[in-house]
Amino acid sequence: MKILPYIIGFILLTNVFACQRETIYPLAMQKAESLMNTRPDSALQILKTISQPEKLTGQEQADYALLLTQARSRNRITATSDSLIRIATDYFQDSNDNARKAKAFLYLGDVYMDMQNHVEAMKALKQAEEVLDDAEAGVQSLIYSNLAYLNRESSNYELAWKYYQKALNVNISNGYTERIVTNLTNVLNLPLPKVQDSITIYINQLDHHYL
């Protein structure tokens, strides 16, 4: 019995499955990423359909870890461990992709905030801030807002006000209405006399943008 044709056939079949896997995984992650801001529940379900994610390697693995962490956060699933998002931060730490690096450290900070570890959350968010200029506006907004929140919780009210102003500027420029309302509500809780006058200025800016 000639065994060579079977060996060749097996090798070819293995390569086909490998190619299909390499195609399906990136497409699933691209679809999940495209739905993240508008339909985070669907994004999470798509990511759950990826079988054997533990076999992913390199950037594919890092992207998956980042997207899954983001999807869980967007669906208000409280994080209890940093092991998943650490896959992303470890990979993007030394990469030239500052946009993904900023997002990875943003969500590392988010995870630590869920875990009530504000010291580590602050460290992660400061790392995100270092490469923030290359990040998309939505990521910039969250980095500033979270830094503002952590400083407010630490009674660093002046610094919190500084970060809320940065977040508001990004949110107003990009029409992020819900985030503007959240920022202004949080700003009102700052025990700083100058805040009240500044609120009026921001409301006037909103009138200029939306009327």
Side-chain angles (χ1 to χ4, degrees), residues 179-198:
R179 294 186 184 187
I180 294 168
V181 172
T182 300
N183 287 156
L184 289 175
T185 302
N186 289 330
V187 164
L188 286 171
N189 293 323
L190 293 177
L192 298 173
K194 62 185 176 183
V195 163
Q196 301 301 324
D197 292 335
S198 297

Side-chain angles (χ1 to χ4, degrees), residues 150-164:
L150 289 174
N151 278 288
R152 189 189 72 184
E153 290 297 293
S154 300
S155 300
N156 296 321
Y157 300 122
E158 289 287 348
L159 197 51
W161 171 228
K162 169 190 166 185
Y163 280 118
Y164 276 130

Side-chain angles (χ1 to χ4, degrees), residues 61-119:
Q61 182 187 46
D63 283 339
Y64 175 81
L66 177 53
L67 285 170
L68 185 55
T69 302
Q70 185 179 3
R72 288 174 176 173
S73 175
R74 296 277 298 175
N75 283 280
R76 302 183 185 281
I77 299 172
T78 302
T80 57
S81 169
D82 65 351
S83 58
L84 179 65
I85 189 59
R86 275 290 182 189
I87 295 171
T89 55
D90 288 349
Y91 180 86
F92 291 115
Q93 172 73 57
D94 299 318
S95 78
N96 294 321
D97 191 341
N98 286 340
R100 271 175 161 54
K101 185 187 299 185
K103 184 180 285 189
F105 279 99
L106 161 65
Y107 281 99
L108 177 62
D110 189 68
V111 164
Y112 283 133
M113 288 170 68
D114 276 354
M115 296 168 65
Q116 300 299 310
N117 189 339
H118 288 186
V119 173

Side-chain angles (χ1 to χ4, degrees), residues 34-81:
S34 71
L35 293 171
M36 194 67 71
N37 292 327
T38 56
R39 295 172 58 191
D41 55 335
S42 297
L44 181 58
Q45 290 306 313
I46 290 171
L47 291 169
K48 286 181 177 179
T49 66
I50 297 177
S51 62
Q52 297 180 306
E54 66 278 2
K55 292 187 177 181
L56 298 174
T57 58
Q59 182 168 345
E60 203 174 61
Q61 182 187 46
D63 283 339
Y64 175 81
L66 177 53
L67 285 170
L68 185 55
T69 302
Q70 185 179 3
R72 288 174 176 173
S73 175
R74 296 277 298 175
N75 283 280
R76 302 183 185 281
I77 299 172
T78 302
T80 57
S81 169

